[in-house]
Amino acid sequence: MSNILSIQGLTKRFVAGAPPVVDEVSFTVGNGEIVALLGPSGCGKTTTLRLIAGFEHADAGTVTVGGRLLTGPSIHVPPEARGVGVVFQDYALFPHLSVLENVLFGLQRLPRSQRVARAREALKLVGLSGYENRKPHELSGGQQQRVAIARTLAPMPQLVLLDEPFSNLDALLRQATRQEIRTVLKEAGLSALLVTHDQEEALSFADRVGVMRAGRIEQVGTSEEVYYQPRTLFVAQFLGRTNLILSRAAGDTAETPLGRIGLNRPAAGDVLLALRPEHLTLEAPDSASGCRGRVVGREFKGHDITFRVELNGAEYLVHTDNLVPYQPGDLVSVRPLAPAVVLENRTGEGVTASGAAPQLTVPVAEQ
Amino acid sequence: MAISPVSISNPTTGGGSILERRRWRFQMAWYFLVPALIVVCGVLVPLAYLFVRAFEADLDQLNTLVFRARNLRLLGNTLLLAGGVLVVGSLVAFPLAWLTTRSDIAGKRLLTLVGVLPLAVPGYVMAYVLLATTGLRGTLALLFDLNLPRLSGFTGALAAMSLTTYPYLFLNLRAALLGLDPSLEESARSLGCTEGQVFRRVVLPQLRPAFLSGALLVGLHVLGDFGVVSLMRFETFSYALYLQYTAAYDRIYAAWLALMLIGVTLCLLVAEARLLRGRLYHRAGTGMRRRARPTHLGRWRFPAYAFAAAIGVVSLIMPLLTLAHWMTRRNINEGWSDLGAALWSSFSASAPAALLAATLALPLAYLGVRKPSPIARGLERISYLGYATPPLAFALALIFFTLKAIPALYQTLLLLITAYTLHYLAEAIGPVRSALYQTSPRLQEAARSLGWTPLRAFFKATFPLLRRGLVVSMAFVFLSAMKELPLTFLLSPIGFETLAMGTWGFANEGLFGAAAPYALLTMLFSGAFTALLLVNERHTGA
């Protein structure tokens, strides 16, 4: 799979002397691939997108699309000459133009005779045939969103950039639209880069996810990789609730309050481990391993149960199916179902105690 | 701040998005560079010429010109008039604003109109009306046998200026009173303040920014005024400048007078900025804003009505009655062709100026909103400077400049149009700027990513949404220029007479009948300006 987008060491400062907003970011998007940049607000993901679109000038680094160098040392191809489509968070539909005119807007390079046919084709793709003469304000939020997609797809860009495109939709509509748009992109064989602060959106929409923090990319991988094998504490916490365990590792296993458990990769010395609550289960107390905990909370949610278990003075979250029978007060042992994930040792992330770590709070709205 | 086509004290600033802090690159396309150069050259270079002329004098001459007692008297008179107008205007505007917002008086809408409509009477028209109403030959004497001494000098200038400028204070105070959070007053009461103490310690301090904004506009009007002081023969800097220019023709002294006038204006601007610093209060809480409970006037409503009626009669009914009276007393068949010619003259200078000002305002407003930088802010300030500079001084600067640099331009229509454009540019920038703030910068970025070059992306995506703002800009400049007097007076080509000059000229010679139709037509345009200002204010919700 060849790369449609390749970014190397991209760096951007808004204020001279201040830390960069985008700090030596490198990643690729393969042909026909959908990649998501995920991170909290202010992490630099939208700026990265704007650098790729050409709206901002990079201080260093390169952007290559389809083998063509668009941003590099003393090179800045203007946005209109990049062949990169952008879908904006607020859609940016031209309020003075009809739906059809909006979609025609980017087709000026096409022979006049083909323009309308192409625009209608794009509208049909997003299921808006028959809405050609409406004005944007006469459409619902979801329809406006789809016009924006059609407008971006009509000129057949090599790469589509999506800036939080679903954040203005209500929760129910969001999920359906997400699947629809993903299908449209995949059917058209388009490559896309999505920017979002919503982990569920990133995981379900993209083939690969890049997690950003403070201008840097912490990890890039498939949705499963970043969720199950987070490299850093930040990635582990940003993607969901997790249990953190301070332990002493030796080779493939580590000594922990839960007993001796397997690791995802060999390590030595004091390491921080992460275990997702759904990778733990409860069993009858096991006197052999010395792992003995007490159920202190039980949250029955129908299809599954979340237990809080106190063990060695720390509290762990355990996410089980609804057949596990324990009640608060019961003595249990906690058994991992998968190897624990060894997190990279990063300075500045002082974790002093084992136990359940909350998911990092995600602000409701970006920007 | 509330009403004025130009907000001088605090130009609107945008939200603090990341984009606006973007480092500014020195790359200016011609469509920004050309307007920027026109504004800088048009405003700053002539002002620099004032200095050049002023310092052409040798030391002895300087001593006699600058340190003569007359200058001190002029300064005293100018400040006396500005202070007096502020006091009288406040005495009218404060009670009126309070009555229309905080009392249970009936007919608040009518009272509000009384507070606003005098904006439609240009100062020199009011001066003419006062001259034509009082005295032995005045309307009062002729119609009601009421012999008041003819108003002139300080009292005349004070009356004419106060009656036409108090709406600036009224509108600002009214907006501030409506914006006050009544729960602040209620908390003060619950903390043990009496009603009077609440007014002094809670309400008045909060009205201060609004009062200062209004006072600045009043001050600029008084300092810039020429029509009123010349008709009333009251010796301020403006009047002396006019005498110096027309009669004595001592250009160096005229330049010094202009510089002194500009100096006083700068002091006013600096003082206002100082006083306002850190005083732009904002409401801290969230929650619903309630309207304050109106104060019950009781027996006090009779003096309140009498007060409001008196203001309405003097500022609105008297001018209209007087004009109507003098319209009937003139020879019906005379002077219509002259009037038509004057109307055409006004139009032929005002319409091109409006077009030109809007054309310049568009790139300047765009720079300020979308590409904020020290240079963009500087250009904005310069356009305000052109607006705040007293018109007589500005006209004199332009005369010195053209005579020295481009003599062919002297006393041409083109120079007059240029002067209108540069002086009223600030009025044109405001509406375009608000329209720009209402359009998302993403639209233009979307157009760029769809393959359009910057200029074409602007005209296809953003420009169609700015049309209303541009029309309002043009209308502001057109209507302002239609009633403009001092710039026209000094810069118009020989034999060129506008409506404003007609009004002033006939009134100056005591030909009240001949002046009446000119004054009426001027008031028509002035009224349209006021209506537009109010409608636009409501539309943009500023």
Side-chain angles (χ1 to χ4, degrees):
Chain A
M1 192 162 69
S2 63
N3 289 331
I4 191 77
L5 169 71
S6 168
I7 290 171
Q8 281 297 326
L10 202 59
T11 300
K12 173 73 182 175
R13 277 187 174 82
F14 284 118
V15 183
V21 177
V22 174
D23 192 0
E24 300 205 19
V25 163
S26 305
F27 64 90
T28 59
V29 176
N31 216 340
E33 191 185 25
I34 300 177
V35 173
L37 275 184
L38 172 68
S41 72
C43 74
K45 55 190 192 301
T46 293
T47 306
T48 306
L49 187 105
R50 294 176 57 81
L51 286 165
I52 299 169
F55 299 139
E56 304 284 351
H57 289 244
D59 292 330
T62 60
V63 173
T64 313
V65 172
R68 190 166 150 236
L69 185 64
L70 298 182
T71 295
S74 70
I75 295 175
H76 180 86
V77 176
E80 63 269 24
R82 294 198 164 208
V84 172
V86 184
V87 179
F88 292 90
Q89 183 172 14
D90 56 3
Y91 316 140
L93 295 180
F94 306 120
H96 56 295
L97 300 179
S98 71
V99 166
L100 186 68
E101 286 166 331
N102 261 285
V103 181
L104 283 170
F105 201 91
L107 297 176
Q108 73 277 15
R109 298 221 173 91
L110 225 57
R112 207 168 283 275
S113 54
Q114 296 174 23
R115 289 180 194 169
V116 175
R118 171 76 70 80
R120 287 184 187 281
E121 207 177 302
L123 282 172
K124 196 176 156 200
L125 195 65
V126 297
L128 279 180
S129 294
Y131 289 84
E132 286 84 353
N133 295 323
R134 301 273 190 96
K135 283 286 176 70
H137 64 87
E138 297 170 323
L139 302 177
S140 70
Q143 289 168 332
Q144 291 181 8
Q145 224 271 353
R146 284 186 280 163
V147 175
I149 301 272
R151 187 179 69 181
T152 306
L153 298 190
M156 299 193 180
Q158 292 178 283
L159 173 70
V160 177
L161 306 175
L162 304 124
D163 183 9
E164 305 259 4
F166 309 112
S167 61
N168 282 348
L169 301 176
D170 60 60
L172 270 178
L173 197 58
R174 196 179 305 171
Q175 219 154 20
T177 314
R178 215 147 66 192
Q179 281 318 308
E180 249 172 69
I181 302 298
R182 183 178 158 85
T183 311
V184 167
L185 289 174
K186 283 294 177 190
E187 273 174 5
L190 279 164
S191 321
L193 180 66
L194 167 85
V195 151
T196 179
H197 63 266
D198 180 337
Q199 44 101 11
E200 190 191 319
E201 184 169 300
L203 295 176
S204 65
F205 191 79
D207 304 316
R208 284 196 300 141
V209 176
V211 184
M212 272 190 93
R213 178 201 190 194
R216 288 175 164 271
I217 291 205
E218 297 241 324
Q219 185 175 2
V220 186
T222 62
S223 300
E224 289 80 2
E225 273 167 13
V226 292
Y227 186 78
Y228 290 129
Q229 315 279 337
R231 284 228 316 263
T232 65
L233 174 64
F234 174 77
V235 175
Q237 283 187 284
F238 195 72
L239 288 178
R241 301 169 95 176
T242 197
N243 293 298
L244 297 175
I245 304 165
L246 280 168
S247 69
R248 179 163 286 267
D252 286 337
T253 57
E255 203 58 56
T256 72
L258 307 182
R260 178 167 288 277
I261 62 175
L263 301 178
N264 68 332
R265 61 185 171 91
D270 289 336
V271 290
L272 186 63
L273 305 178
L275 264 169
R276 294 277 176 217
E278 63 271 28
H279 286 174
L280 294 174
T281 192
L282 299 184
E283 288 178 344
D286 175 6
S287 49
S289 73
C291 163
R292 188 187 286 265
R294 182 185 295 277
V295 175
V296 291
R298 176 178 180 272
E299 198 183 340
F300 179 73
K301 290 181 288 189
H303 49 82
D304 51 20
I305 308 174
T306 302
F307 290 98
R308 285 187 294 122
V309 178
E310 195 189 289
L311 200 151
N312 273 8
E315 214 174 87
Y316 295 87
L317 282 180
V318 179
H319 210 69
T320 69
D321 60 52
N322 52 16
L323 297 174
V324 173
Y326 300 103
Q327 293 295 329
D330 290 351
L331 288 180
V332 291
S333 72
V334 178
R335 188 170 66 85
L337 297 167
V341 176
V342 182
L343 298 178
E344 279 173 17
N345 194 12
R346 294 259 171 124
T347 49
E349 296 178 337
V351 175
T352 51
S354 301
Q359 181 174 2
L360 289 176
T361 43
V362 177
V364 178
E366 181 85 319
Q367 284 163 355
Chain B
M1 86 183 245
I3 205 127
S4 110
V6 185
S7 46
I8 285 174
S9 50
N10 49 341
T12 325
T13 46
S17 98
I18 287 175
L19 294 178
E20 286 174 83
R21 277 182 275 123
R22 167 168 46 188
R23 197 168 20 157
W24 198 76
R25 282 154 205 281
F26 193 84
Q27 47 179 215
M28 232 186 195
W30 63 268
Y31 40 82
F32 291 126
L33 200 59
V34 172
L37 284 178
I38 291 178
V39 172
V40 172
C41 295
V43 176
L44 291 188
V45 175
L47 290 181
Y49 261 84
L50 266 187
F51 280 93
V52 172
R53 275 319 283 253
F55 284 99
E56 270 173 9
D58 51 49
L59 266 179
D60 281 353
Q61 217 178 339
L62 272 186
N63 259 329
T64 52
L65 285 183
V66 182
F67 299 108
R68 59 170 73 163
R70 176 158 186 253
N71 292 347
L72 213 57
R73 203 174 71 236
L74 291 177
L75 178 67
N77 280 351
T78 305
L79 294 181
L80 190 68
L81 183 60
V85 170
L86 212 52
V87 170
V88 176
S90 304
L91 289 179
V92 174
F94 251 115
L96 213 50
W98 187 82
L99 283 174
T100 58
T101 54
R102 288 302 185 91
S103 77
D104 64 346
I105 199 167
K108 281 186 190 150
R109 277 181 185 217
L110 198 66
L111 277 189
T112 307
L113 280 182
V114 169
V116 176
L117 279 184
L119 270 185
V121 186
Y124 57 86
V125 171
M126 183 56 87
Y128 150 64
V129 164
L130 290 177
L131 289 174
T133 309
T134 55
L136 285 177
R137 284 178 53 230
T139 333
L140 288 180
L142 294 177
L143 293 183
F144 307 108
D145 223 7
L146 203 65
N147 265 323
L148 291 181
R150 174 128 172 230
L151 277 174
S152 72
F154 175 69
T155 32
L158 180 66
M161 296 286 338
S162 305
L163 285 175
T164 49
T165 56
Y166 75 79
Y168 292 111
L169 285 168
F170 169 79
L171 283 163
N172 276 297
L173 289 172
R174 180 183 145 82
L177 278 168
L178 285 176
L180 284 187
D181 184 354
S183 59
L184 287 180
E185 289 155 59
E186 284 159 12
S187 1
R189 288 300 293 275
S190 72
L191 291 170
C193 291
T194 65
E195 223 166 316
Q197 283 173 323
V198 169
F199 190 74
R200 265 203 332 277
R201 293 174 56 185
V202 179
V203 176
L204 278 186
Q206 291 192 87
L207 294 182
R208 190 164 154 157
F211 176 75
L212 286 174
S213 300
L216 175 70
L217 286 170
V218 171
L220 286 179
H221 261 83
V222 174
L223 294 179
D225 168 76
F226 152 74
V228 171
V229 288
S230 55
L231 286 176
M232 291 296 177
R233 311 271 190 269
F234 182 60
E235 286 220 331
T236 61
F237 277 123
S238 288
Y239 185 61
L241 197 56
Y242 151 75
L243 286 180
Q244 201 63 34
Y245 184 78
T246 52
Y249 217 70
D250 176 350
R251 298 217 149 164
I252 293 179
Y253 186 48
W256 272 107
L257 286 172
L259 282 182
M260 289 180 211
L261 184 55
I262 290 174
V264 175
T265 310
L266 282 178
C267 289
L268 179 72
L269 289 171
V270 169
E272 208 245 7
R274 276 277 167 85
L275 289 170
L276 259 183
R277 189 175 299 158
R279 285 190 185 274
L280 290 174
Y281 307 112
H282 298 286
R283 196 161 158 265
T286 45
M288 274 285 287
R289 174 171 298 186
R290 288 168 299 112
R291 275 287 168 84
R293 197 172 48 84
T295 305
H296 184 59
L297 285 177
R299 267 181 307 148
W300 283 98
R301 72 181 178 277
F302 299 109
Y305 280 126
F307 168 76
I311 301 291
V313 165
V314 175
S315 65
L316 293 170
I317 296 176
M318 180 186 72
L320 286 174
L321 267 181
T322 300
L323 283 179
H325 169 75
W326 288 104
M327 278 301 278
T328 58
R329 297 203 17 133
R330 67 192 287 278
N331 189 339
I332 283 298
N333 300 317
E334 239 170 54
W336 289 112
S337 65
D338 285 348
L339 186 68
L343 180 61
W344 170 247
S345 291
S346 292
F347 181 84
S348 67
S350 303
L355 205 62
L356 207 57
T359 311
L360 286 176
L362 185 59
L364 292 178
Y366 189 90
L367 270 185
V369 174
R370 294 288 165 83
K371 295 168 181 286
S373 67
I375 291 186
R377 272 192 296 283
L379 286 170
E380 216 159 56
R381 296 254 163 86
I382 291 174
S383 72
Y384 289 133
L385 189 67
Y387 188 71
T389 305
L392 269 187
F394 188 56
L396 202 64
L398 276 174
I399 288 172
F400 290 156
F401 170 63
T402 45
L403 281 181
K404 198 104 178 186
I406 331 166
L409 208 58
Y410 181 59
Q411 287 191 329
T412 58
L413 186 58
L414 186 60
L415 183 63
L416 183 62
I417 293 170
T418 312
Y420 283 170
T421 305
L422 294 170
H423 183 59
Y424 290 119
L425 185 57
E427 278 186 1
I429 289 179
V432 183
R433 193 173 47 195
S434 340
L436 264 172
Y437 272 122
Q438 284 167 17
T439 59
S440 161
R442 303 290 159 269
L443 289 180
Q444 218 166 312
E445 286 175 359
R448 291 289 298 280
S449 75
L450 290 167
W452 297 94
T453 57
L455 198 58
R456 299 190 71 184
F458 168 78
F459 277 105
K460 282 186 76 89
T462 308
F463 185 75
L465 307 174
L466 302 182
R467 276 187 202 141
R468 189 185 173 279
L470 280 168
V471 168
V472 173
S473 286
M474 278 192 264
F476 272 154
V477 177
F478 174 74
L479 295 170
S480 295
M482 286 299 280
K483 60 188 166 80
E484 210 293 327
L485 181 63
L487 286 177
T488 325
F489 191 79
L490 286 200
L491 295 175
S492 61
I494 292 168
F496 187 87
E497 195 173 87
T498 64
L499 291 175
M501 286 166 80
T503 312
W504 183 86
F506 286 124
N508 200 31
E509 291 167 35
L511 301 170
F512 299 139
Y518 291 86
L520 263 182
L521 260 182
T522 316
M523 269 176 68
L524 196 70
F525 287 107
S526 202
F529 178 86
T530 309
L532 178 70
L533 192 66
L534 296 174
V535 168
N536 192 53
E537 202 73 20
R538 193 164 304 167
H539 180 87
T540 54

